[in-house]
Amino acid sequence: MAAEKDEAEVLAEQPKEEPEKHEAKKRDHREIEKSPSPAAKRAKKEDKENGKGDESVKKEEATRKKEKTDEKSKDVRKDKEKEREKEKDRHHREKDTRDERKDRDRDRERDRRRSDDKDKDRRRDSRKEDDRKRRDKDRKDDKGRRKSTKKEEEPAAPVKKAPTARDLERLRQYEEEMAKEEDNKDEEGRPVWSLTRAQAETSSRQCPYLDTIDRNMLDFDFEKLCSVSLSHLNVYACMVCGKYFQGRGTSTYAYTHSLDTDHRIFLNLQTLKFYCLPDMYEVIDPSLEDIKYVLKPTFTDKLINALDGWQRPARAYDNTTYFPGVVGLNNIKANDYENVILHALSHVTPLRNYFLKEENYSQIKRPPGDKLALLSQRFGELVRKLWNTKAFKAHVSPHEMLQAIVVTSQKRFQFTKQGDAADFMSFFLNTLHLSLNGTQKNSSSIIYKTFRGKMRQYTRKVLPVDASSEMIANVTNSDEYNETAKETPFLFLSLDLPPPPLYVDAVLQNIIPQVPLQQLLAKFNGATEKEYKTYKDNFIKRFEILELPNYLIIVYQRFKKNQFFVEKNPTIVNFPISNIDLYDALADEAKPKHKYTTYDLVANIVHDGKPSEGRNRVQIHHKGTGKWFEMEDLHVKDILPQMITLAESYIQIWKLNRTKTREERMGEDENSDEDDIKADLIAALRQQQVSGPQLPEVKTESMDTS
């Protein structure tokens, strides 16, 4: 160090001596240059005598002054450059000393940590050695005790039982806890390096803050993003106030919230792990399982099979009773047209059972950046929440499901603007089929397996009204106006309603017309024709069904757009709730293939009010209790089956009844007709016996009803 100091002093002193010597030399040189030579003196004297000296003297003085100023500016620049070089040298020397100091500090810290690690290893080895010696000593003592008892011929001491797996596990946990406590004691008082010790996770089965959890404030239906940063990454839910915050480290929003409000328990919404902040340890307690189940319900095969026969109401945490699957859906602003479709589809048994088990669709791979996979995941979460048997409240908010619909439909269907339920159903079924990697095959997805049928469509082009005789003669020989047949699949059937009356009756009222469902289904009998107009040509079409689906969706065309606005058809459809027969709608070659042709109503969607301002409600059949429930947003009530046919039905879902074949049903109908005839005859004969002469007793067994 002394040598380095001497060198630095020598370097610092050298620049001070050099400028002084240099300045003295320059000064002498300038004096020599200033003194004129004898020849110059003589020339100056001659010029003065000749009268020419004044101008030359002035010029010489000007040049001399200019030379002086140039020399001064050069000297100033040289001095500045020297000062800059001195400053650079000083900075380089200071930087070298700082780097050397950092290297020395880093080496000392590394050596200290290595020594600490060696001390820890040494202490751990010593503990293991002590444990081994203690076990050996205990073993030797046991052997010596057994030998002494044999020599003395005393009764044998009770044999020590071998430790069970549970005892070994408890011993291992105890040793780990003791080792962690000793390590913590050794590290006390030392500085924290890179927050490693502050962010270490240690499990704990006893937390003193579990009683601060408020289950009434917990709501996991909202979108899982931080309430401050609006980020979806690493989100935690506060178990005291129910708010979402990001992160768990010392500089995160959840950590700051725990310090500000003294809220300690937080749940990671992705890993389902509980943590205590700001103490930074995981909380493991069986009393928290109900919160995990509400956040992510799971269904076994046994529970899924028991849902259809569920007869007793479940009780929520807020003491409200409900039936699983019959719970209200929150209407955020104008999403009732989406709620009724989601409710109705959740009661289709194959579709419900498929989405109750997440492993059925969680492994489906979609292209990178594809947003369709979000739709199946959110619909599965909603179905599991609707059928949750251990819910905290008797209603569900479909917020995440609606956000996924907005994203996948590119803002076509929003929950802030009223829409058409039939359009949304068509979009939802087709998009959900694509999100499950569905193809054109019926077995490619659960959507096509459940709802897809097949029909045959006959189409022929209509001649224009002003067609000439020559054109008609040419058309008869061309294929353009011949009838063509095409087989097409369908997910739902669209039925046309008869137009309502335009004028009022004698009582000055518009009578609401009624039409039976069988009359509307005549559209698909293969003989009924209907004209369809396009912007250029007119076509006449007729339809017949080739294959019936397991679940049939029927849409009544109530809304029609004219040149000015959308008008609604208020016609009431009369239909039976069960055993509606579609045998007449089948093609002739398809009738022998279908043993079952009757359907039972599962869900009925009703539209009330004007087309743009109306509201939607859904009527659901609960299979376990056999009751009908009506749900309109959060309002749930049970209704009589007779009230279903009185409303303006818009969309219906029917289930194929496979309990009895068509032949068995026809046999029952014939027997029931015979029984009715017998009963009528018996009643008439008895009436005659009362009013007229006495007749012999009639035996019903041998009566001939022909």
Side-chain angles (χ1 to χ4, degrees), residues 596-607:
Y596 308 98
T597 58
T598 58
Y599 284 86
D600 298 334
L601 186 62
V602 175
N604 182 42
I605 296 174
V606 180
H607 184 274

Side-chain angles (χ1 to χ4, degrees), residues 172-442:
R172 186 185 62 78
Q173 292 181 359
Y174 176 75
E175 291 177 354
E176 289 180 358
E177 292 294 333
M178 294 299 294
K180 288 178 182 179
E181 288 181 3
E182 291 183 4
D183 293 342
N184 292 334
K185 289 180 181 179
D186 296 337
E187 292 181 1
E188 285 181 358
R190 294 180 182 176
V192 178
W193 182 256
S194 300
L195 299 178
T196 303
R197 182 176 150 214
Q199 296 178 353
E201 297 181 5
T202 57
S203 300
S204 173
R205 293 185 179 271
Q206 295 179 354
C207 181
Y209 304 106
L210 291 179
D211 57 346
T212 62
I213 297 176
D214 189 0
R215 286 173 171 79
N216 292 319
M217 300 296 295
L218 302 182
D219 189 358
F220 301 118
D221 295 340
F222 295 105
E223 192 174 4
K224 297 174 179 59
L225 51 83
C226 177
S227 59
V228 181
S229 63
L230 301 181
S231 173
H232 294 82
L233 303 176
N234 199 20
V235 180
Y236 288 79
C238 178
M239 295 291 99
V240 182
C241 62
K243 296 180 180 179
Y244 294 169
F245 297 97
Q246 185 183 15
R248 184 166 49 89
T250 55
S251 60
T252 58
Y253 298 110
Y255 189 89
T256 306
H257 177 73
S258 66
L259 294 176
D260 292 343
T261 59
D262 199 24
H263 296 173
R264 299 304 186 97
I265 308 299
F266 289 81
L267 170 62
N268 190 313
L269 299 179
Q270 185 67 26
T271 62
L272 303 183
K273 291 184 178 180
F274 291 86
Y275 295 93
C276 180
L277 300 181
D279 298 336
M280 292 290 183
Y281 64 84
E282 182 182 353
V283 180
I284 303 174
D285 196 276
S287 64
L288 304 174
E289 294 298 326
D290 60 336
I291 300 177
K292 293 182 182 179
Y293 192 85
V294 171
L295 174 59
K296 192 174 183 180
T298 56
F299 290 81
T300 60
D301 294 334
K302 183 178 179 181
L303 180 57
I304 291 174
N305 295 330
L307 290 176
D308 288 334
W310 199 282
Q311 296 182 358
R312 68 182 189 279
R315 186 174 293 275
Y317 184 78
D318 56 358
N319 287 329
T320 57
T321 57
Y322 68 97
F323 288 98
V326 187
V327 294
L329 280 176
N330 187 21
N331 188 358
I332 298 175
K333 187 175 182 182
N335 56 289
D336 56 306
Y337 73 99
E338 297 174 321
N339 289 351
V340 293
I341 297 297
L342 298 175
H343 252 312
L345 294 178
S346 67
H347 281 264
V348 176
T349 304
L351 197 67
R352 180 202 67 188
N353 296 347
Y354 179 83
F355 281 98
L356 284 180
K357 300 188 71 173
E358 190 177 3
E359 56 269 19
N360 290 336
Y361 53 90
S362 59
Q363 302 300 327
I364 294 177
K365 295 183 179 180
R366 298 291 302 170
D370 189 13
K371 300 176 182 179
L372 294 183
L374 188 65
L375 193 67
S376 58
Q377 295 175 4
R378 295 290 181 261
F379 184 65
E381 293 177 1
L382 179 63
V383 172
R384 289 194 296 273
K385 289 179 180 178
L386 288 173
W387 289 90
N388 186 8
T389 60
K390 303 175 183 178
F392 283 176
K393 56 188 183 306
H395 62 87
V396 177
S397 178
H399 194 275
E400 289 185 302
M401 181 72 233
L402 300 178
Q403 291 283 5
I405 292 170
V406 172
V407 172
T408 53
S409 67
Q410 298 180 356
K411 298 183 179 181
R412 177 185 171 189
F413 299 100
Q414 302 184 16
F415 52 87
T416 58
K417 185 179 179 181
Q418 192 64 249
D420 187 25
D423 292 344
F424 169 70
M425 182 190 66
S426 177
F427 157 79
F428 185 74
L429 291 178
N430 287 283
T431 310
L432 192 61
H433 169 73
L434 294 177
S435 68
L436 299 175
N437 286 340
T439 59
Q440 293 297 326
K441 297 182 180 179
N442 286 350

Side-chain angles (χ1 to χ4, degrees), residues 23-141:
E23 290 293 333
K25 290 179 181 179
K26 286 173 66 177
R27 199 182 304 111
D28 297 340
H29 184 68
R30 283 197 298 270
E31 289 177 358
I32 292 170
E33 288 179 351
K34 288 178 182 179
S35 57
S37 61
K41 290 180 180 180
R42 284 195 298 272
K44 184 178 181 181
K45 188 176 180 181
E46 290 176 359
D47 293 337
K48 190 176 182 181
E49 290 175 356
N50 296 330
K52 299 179 181 179
D54 294 337
E55 293 180 0
S56 61
V57 169
K58 289 180 181 180
K59 289 181 181 179
E60 288 179 0
E61 288 179 356
T63 53
R64 205 178 295 117
K65 287 180 181 180
K66 187 176 181 181
E67 290 175 357
K68 286 182 181 180
T69 54
D70 293 341
E71 289 176 357
K72 287 181 181 180
S73 61
K74 288 180 182 179
D75 295 339
V76 171
R77 282 196 298 271
K78 289 180 180 179
D79 294 340
K80 288 182 179 179
E81 290 177 359
K82 290 179 181 179
E83 291 294 331
R84 289 195 204 98
E85 291 177 358
K86 289 180 185 178
E87 191 69 22
K88 287 182 181 179
D89 295 338
R90 185 172 62 81
H91 281 303
H92 285 310
R93 288 195 296 272
E94 289 180 356
K95 185 177 181 181
D96 294 339
T97 55
R98 283 198 302 271
D99 295 340
E100 291 175 359
R101 197 180 303 112
K102 287 182 181 179
D103 294 337
R104 288 196 298 272
D105 295 341
R106 196 179 299 110
D107 295 338
R108 290 197 200 97
E109 184 63 27
R110 186 172 58 253
D111 296 339
R112 184 183 65 77
R113 278 188 286 172
R114 287 178 180 174
S115 62
D116 293 343
D117 296 338
K118 290 180 180 179
D119 293 340
K120 289 181 183 178
D121 296 338
R122 199 180 299 111
R123 285 195 296 272
R124 193 179 300 108
D125 296 338
S126 63
R127 285 198 300 272
K128 291 181 180 179
E129 186 68 23
D130 294 341
D131 295 338
R132 188 181 60 78
K133 290 180 180 179
R134 179 172 51 78
R135 287 194 295 270
D136 294 342
K137 186 178 179 182
D138 295 340
R139 208 175 291 115
K140 290 179 181 179
D141 294 341

Side-chain angles (χ1 to χ4, degrees), residues 40-41 163 256 328 330 457 469 500 562 573 598 654 695:
K41 290 180 180 180
T256 306
N330 187 21
Q457 174 181 323
S469 59
N562 54 27
V573 181
T598 58
W654 299 79
L695 295 176

